[in-house]
Amino acid sequence: MEVQSALAALAALAQETRLAVFRHLVEAGPEGMTVGRIGEALQVPAATLSFHLKELSHAGLVTGRQESRFIWYSANYEAMNGLIAYLTENCCRGQPDACGVGCTPAPKSTAAKRKKVPA
Amino acid sequence: MEVQSALAALAALAQETRLAVFRHLVEAGPEGMTVGRIGEALQVPAATLSFHLKELSHAGLVTGRQESRFIWYSANYEAMNGLIAYLTENCCRGQPDACGVGCTPAPKSTAAKRKKVPA
DNA sequence: TCCATAATTCCATAATTATGGAATTATTGA
DNA sequence: TCAATAATTCCATAATTATGGAATTATGGA
């Protein structure tokens, strides 16, 4: 990933509504969601949502596909992973063991959080 | 990670100089670098660098420790990993296999890139 | 063709952010 | 105490960005 695309992606995500939209789409999976459903879920006016979707789209973080009267937006997982790779690239000069807490994104908490069960 | 800290981190990284500083510190390891060395390496005027270090620091992405006349700044690896976890949280509703290219940041390209050797 | 629905563009206003020279504030060694 | 170096704060200017109602542009069903 080039510095300019990383910057575009970060700027796109650095806004409350867009971050929420993106995370929603990451969660939704490759099929994605229609603009209407996104706006409903997040309570965002259509014009505002359209503006933010365009920003995310320009940054390469989401893509839309027209399907009949609807546009389905979905997360671009490759871009997401590319951004993460860019941020962590060459962490500790490739000696991650020397990095204390580590250069690795922890045990990958993909699933929703679960309350810790007391012993 | 809370939405507000994620937003702060993303906003901090969404700026060319700060992104360069952060990646430089990620690469530098836990010891970090002095302000002077950073400015030298990236060719940034002191006042500008100071401003950006403050932003990164407020966002929790770096920390400075005074040591004699110098301030050593280092990346906060925990914050970095927290941000990544926040972005990928509950990816594909916890069924990453259904996600095509995947919810996982690829084979972890920590080390510097190497040219692929032709077969 | 006409109507209803989906989504985008237009636009003015408001708010936030980056820049870097000059002045200022630490910190240390002599 | 004084001088030298490290880093930050101050400040005015310039530039970018978010908001959402109203108008506009697809798209498909009747």
Side-chain angles (χ1 to χ4, degrees), chain B residues 8 11-12 15 17 22 28-29 41-42 49 55 75 80-81 91 95 105-106 117 119:
Chain B
Q15 202 282 338
T17 302
F22 180 73
L42 304 180
L49 181 55
E55 296 287 305
M80 178 182 83
N81 292 328
C91 181
Q95 317 281 315
V117 179

Side-chain angles (χ1 to χ4, degrees), chain B residues 15 18 45 47-48 51-52 55 66 68-69:
Chain B
Q15 202 282 338
R18 287 196 297 264
T48 303
F51 168 76
H52 289 308
E55 296 287 305
Q66 181 108 26
S68 146
R69 238 183 310 190

Side-chain angles (χ1 to χ4, degrees), chain A:
Chain A
M1 172 163 293
E2 306 294 329
V3 57
Q4 288 310 322
S5 12
L7 278 171
L10 289 164
L13 292 173
Q15 201 283 337
E16 189 159 13
T17 302
R18 286 197 296 264
L19 182 56
V21 168
F22 180 73
R23 298 217 316 151
H24 225 74
L25 291 177
V26 165
E27 183 164 348
E31 179 180 73
M33 294 171 74
T34 64
V35 178
R37 294 252 311 113
I38 300 171
E40 228 171 74
L42 304 179
Q43 290 293 298
V44 181
T48 304
L49 182 54
S50 210
F51 169 77
H52 289 307
L53 283 170
K54 191 169 74 174
E55 296 288 306
L56 285 169
S57 173
H58 278 165
L61 287 168
V62 307
T63 50
R65 60 177 202 285
Q66 181 108 26
E67 203 157 289
S68 147
R69 238 183 309 192
F70 302 83
I71 297 179
W72 291 76
Y73 277 92
S74 50
N76 182 345
Y77 295 96
E78 231 174 305
M80 178 181 83
N81 292 328
L83 176 61
I84 292 170
Y86 187 81
L87 290 178
T88 57
E89 195 169 50
N90 203 17
C91 180
C92 289
R93 294 198 198 78
Q95 318 280 316
D97 295 348
C99 255
V101 67
C103 293
T104 349
K108 275 299 289 158
S109 77
T110 19
K113 272 172 212 157
R114 188 194 295 199
K115 277 227 188 83
K116 206 188 272 179
V117 179

Side-chain angles (χ1 to χ4, degrees), chain B residues 30-69:
Chain B
E31 180 180 72
M33 296 171 74
T34 64
V35 178
R37 294 252 311 113
I38 300 171
E40 227 172 74
L42 304 180
Q43 290 294 297
V44 181
T48 303
L49 181 55
S50 211
F51 168 76
H52 289 308
L53 283 170
K54 192 170 73 175
E55 296 287 305
L56 285 168
S57 174
H58 278 165
L61 287 169
V62 307
T63 50
R65 59 177 204 286
Q66 181 108 26
E67 203 157 290
S68 146
R69 238 183 310 190

